[in-house]
Amino acid sequence: MTPAMRTGPGPSSGTPAPARLLRAVGPPLSSLPLAAAVRGAVALATPLLVGVLTGWVFPSVIAAIGALWAVGQDGSDPYPSRVGRFVALGLSASLGLAGGELALRSGPSAVVTVCLVVAALVAGAIGLRGRIWSVAGMHLLLGVTIGGGIPVPGPWWQAPIALFAGVSFVLVLSSAPWLWQRHHIERAALLAVFRAASTALAAAGTPGAAENRRHLTDALDNAHQAMDRHLTSSRRQPPDARVEPLLRAFRLAVRLGEAVTTLQWEARPLPAVVIRAPLVMSARLLPVRKDGDVPVLPDFGPHSPGLHALAQLSVAADAERVDTALAAPASPRPTRQAHLRYAVLLALCVLAAQVCADLLHSPRAYWLPMTVAFVYKPDFGPVFRRALNRCVGTVVGAAAIGAVSTAVHGTHAIIGVVAFFGALMAVGVRHHYALATTGLTAVVFVLVDLLGDHRALYGARMLDTALAAALVLVVHFVAWPRSAVSRADSRTQAALAAAHRYQDLSPTVGPDRRHALRRAAYRQLADARRAAVHARREPVLRGAEPPDWERAITSAEELCDAVTARALHAAPGPAAQTTVTVASSDAM
């Protein structure tokens, strides 16, 4: 079997325009992250309350701006990752704010424009290098935008320090649970793998098997990210007693993924005892209470190779150590040309936004370039979808705060409003960009009012946001129309190469290396599928439909499944000889 990638209408072809527009807005809200919402409310209300009580209103508002940006980057990832991201955000935003302030105080508006363009070039040059670099670049530009667009009284160094203090406050709130829940995130990520494995076993022999196996891959990727620091340190020195059970559970989870894939490949329904096996393993490896009853895994009965592998793992759950040394699979990086092109286009968008702001005069001095900085982030998702959500969120946020401001009076009541919209933003960060923008827009209106700008600019801000989004879309889709397509092409090519590498080397390497090859292949296939979804959500020229990446990715996943099954003696030799190809394009 040699499925080749066809070029032609993709899955989205033929979809009515209104349906495609609704899909571009994004999925509906699914669940409420209560802890994050509370952090968002406290993080934004506390600096303002301190400012009101002490009389230091201006520094407290700048601290609240820092907290606002930090809430936008809060997450549920491991605490060391959060610390690195928050520190990068605080330093870059403070540096940008200082530069913007000095440029504004120097006098000529041209100095502010030059400072903005330089910041945009730097932000674009580093923005595609990874999550921390991307966050640092965006907030460097945001800092310059605010510093060059809002006059702040006091010494030039006071506002950057206040901004960093606001970011640090969110860092403390977000990372404080580490003190009493030291490895809660790692444990939760590992438990999610075992739950996903049980769900995947339940789907064996059904049409939903492949999708559930992908969910298992995503859970393993999250667990790998959570455990990566411990995996790296364990290669240098023996882990402490609290980390060893987590390492054992992770290494077993990696082998469990192989067994589950094999059982799914056998394509027959499994008895309940087999479906419960991963949950029993997790209860033995990661018990809730040390003095609780430890469940016993009964015999599976007659073994297929997949069941035999699962039975071996149930025994290994009680072992002292399971050795599977794995490094986190790497994803292909954008090319140097892509970095340069993004830097130039971002700088061009910021320059155009600033020129428009000068032509439209002071009420729009910072909103236009600030919106460009938020919208033009191709590494954060489809540009068209982000621009659309930004416009929707700004309209709703401006309308909401306009309605609230007519009914709410008094400083403390206003702080309560900020807390509400801060919580709304924190929820939106995890679920929907339009919702996050709604909260952010409302909070910014209140903060600007506290800084002394009492003008009602609700309609102007809506128009500014639409103008900035239009600038980004025109520049991006005229100068770089195939960016998302090229990224999907390069990710798919890398994923297919990883799948073939797994196929070629699997018969000749030991179990540890085989697990690493399999993890790298499935991880890159998942990245490629996400890049394909990203590309499908961007507008395309009529008659220039992108390739059918999904078909090639699915074929490569089937290849990896067959290779995995063959490794456990569950497939005949020819089954692992599938070949997949993809038409190449310029790498992003």
Side-chain angles (χ1 to χ4, degrees):
M1 171 171 75
T2 311
M5 175 174 288
R6 59 178 173 88
T7 301
S12 61
S13 296
T15 306
R20 297 183 70 172
L21 186 64
L22 287 174
R23 186 179 64 187
V25 173
L29 190 66
S30 57
S31 60
L32 179 66
L34 183 59
V38 171
R39 285 202 300 270
V42 172
L44 290 173
T46 302
L48 299 182
L49 189 59
V50 170
V52 169
L53 295 176
T54 62
W56 288 39
V57 176
F58 285 101
S60 72
V61 172
I62 298 299
I65 292 176
L68 179 72
W69 291 347
V71 168
Q73 294 299 323
D74 196 7
S76 57
D77 50 333
Y79 297 116
S81 301
R82 296 188 214 179
V83 171
R85 188 166 65 251
F86 282 130
V87 169
L89 187 163
L91 291 176
S92 60
S94 300
L95 178 63
L97 183 63
E101 268 198 290
L102 293 174
L104 182 64
R105 296 181 185 209
S106 68
S109 61
V111 178
V112 175
T113 301
V114 170
C115 189
L116 278 169
V117 172
V118 171
L121 286 169
V122 173
I126 66 177
L128 302 179
R129 296 182 180 275
R131 177 71 185 277
I132 290 182
W133 287 104
S134 179
V135 169
M138 181 174 74
H139 287 88
L140 173 70
L141 180 55
L142 287 174
V144 173
T145 301
I146 296 300
I150 301 179
V152 178
W156 67 268
W157 47 263
Q158 187 179 75
I161 292 177
L163 187 79
F164 191 83
V167 175
S168 301
F169 181 51
V170 179
L171 169 61
V172 171
L173 291 177
S174 182
S175 301
W178 178 81
L179 296 174
W180 61 87
Q181 292 181 322
R182 186 64 58 92
H183 302 301
H184 170 72
I185 293 173
E186 293 92 331
R187 179 187 176 88
L190 289 168
L191 290 173
V193 174
F194 288 96
R195 286 194 297 269
S198 180
T199 303
L201 290 176
T206 71
E211 185 65 23
N212 280 279
R213 201 270 306 141
R214 294 184 194 116
H215 291 326
L216 175 58
T217 297
D218 291 340
L220 273 168
D221 289 343
N222 292 334
H224 213 149
Q225 179 185 10
M227 291 296 299
D228 188 54
R229 179 173 62 97
H230 302 299
L231 291 167
T232 301
S233 62
S234 69
R235 289 192 286 268
R236 295 193 299 263
Q237 59 185 10
D240 62 44
R242 292 174 296 182
V243 174
E244 177 61 32
L246 299 173
L247 289 171
R248 188 186 311 134
F250 173 75
R251 290 163 177 148
L252 204 79
V254 171
R255 293 174 56 184
L256 177 62
E258 185 176 57
V260 170
T261 300
T262 302
L263 287 167
Q264 283 198 330
W265 188 89
E266 292 172 0
R268 59 187 176 87
L270 298 169
V273 65
V274 176
I275 294 171
R276 291 197 307 269
L279 302 179
V280 175
M281 290 180 197
S282 67
R284 299 180 73 86
L285 288 160
L286 302 167
V288 177
R289 295 179 55 189
K290 294 184 179 181
D291 57 349
D293 294 333
V294 179
V296 178
L297 189 66
D299 182 51
F300 293 153
H303 289 346
S304 71
L307 286 175
H308 178 68
L310 196 62
Q312 284 185 317
L313 290 178
S314 69
V315 174
D318 293 325
E320 286 299 315
R321 185 177 178 86
V322 181
D323 289 318
T324 305
L326 293 172
S331 297
R333 296 290 187 183
T335 63
R336 183 176 298 178
Q337 181 183 7
H339 288 290
L340 178 61
R341 184 180 296 188
Y342 174 52
V344 171
L345 293 183
L346 179 60
L348 182 61
C349 289
V350 168
L351 177 60
Q354 185 66 10
V355 169
C356 290
D358 289 338
L359 293 175
L360 295 172
H361 305 297
S362 57
R364 300 163 174 81
Y366 63 89
W367 196 274
L368 278 160
M370 180 183 73
T371 302
V372 168
F374 277 120
V375 169
Y376 201 9
K377 293 295 296 175
D379 55 316
F380 280 10
V383 176
F384 175 74
R385 178 178 173 180
R386 194 169 176 85
L388 179 62
N389 284 329
R390 187 80 192 178
C391 292
V392 172
T394 300
V395 169
V396 176
I401 196 62
V404 169
S405 63
T406 61
V408 174
H409 304 283
T411 303
H412 292 89
I414 290 296
I415 293 176
V417 170
V418 169
F420 171 79
F421 282 106
L424 185 68
M425 179 184 172
V427 173
V429 165
R430 288 155 181 78
H431 288 286
H432 203 293
Y433 184 56
L435 189 63
T437 301
T438 297
L440 182 143
T441 300
V443 171
V444 169
F445 270 106
V446 174
L447 296 182
V448 170
D449 185 75
L450 290 174
L451 285 174
D453 189 349
H454 305 302
R455 294 168 294 180
L457 298 173
Y458 305 115
R461 295 315 185 198
M462 296 178 193
L463 294 175
D464 291 344
T465 301
L467 177 57
L471 281 173
V472 169
L473 292 178
V474 169
V475 170
H476 179 70
F477 287 110
V478 168
W480 205 4
R482 288 182 54 83
S483 63
V485 171
S486 298
R487 184 172 184 267
D489 275 348
S490 64
R491 289 291 176 96
T492 303
Q493 292 279 8
L496 299 187
H500 286 300
R501 187 163 56 249
Y502 175 43
Q503 175 192 20
D504 295 339
L505 298 180
S506 179
T508 63
V509 298
D512 289 355
R513 178 61 175 158
R514 187 180 75 241
H515 290 312
L517 290 167
R518 181 179 60 82
R519 285 281 300 114
Y522 282 121
R523 167 69 178 272
Q524 294 200 31
L525 285 166
D527 285 347
R529 190 174 289 278
R530 283 188 287 270
V533 171
H534 176 157
R536 297 283 181 207
R537 288 173 174 166
E538 296 284 33
V540 295
L541 297 176
R542 187 175 298 276
E545 291 287 345
D548 189 356
W549 302 288
E550 290 86 353
R551 176 188 287 188
I553 294 168
T554 298
S555 298
E557 289 172 341
E558 292 171 353
L559 165 65
C560 291
D561 292 348
V563 172
T564 299
R566 187 183 180 188
L568 296 183
H569 309 289
Q577 299 305 314
T578 306
T579 303
V580 287
T581 59
V582 59
S584 63
S585 179
D586 295 334
M588 176 179 173

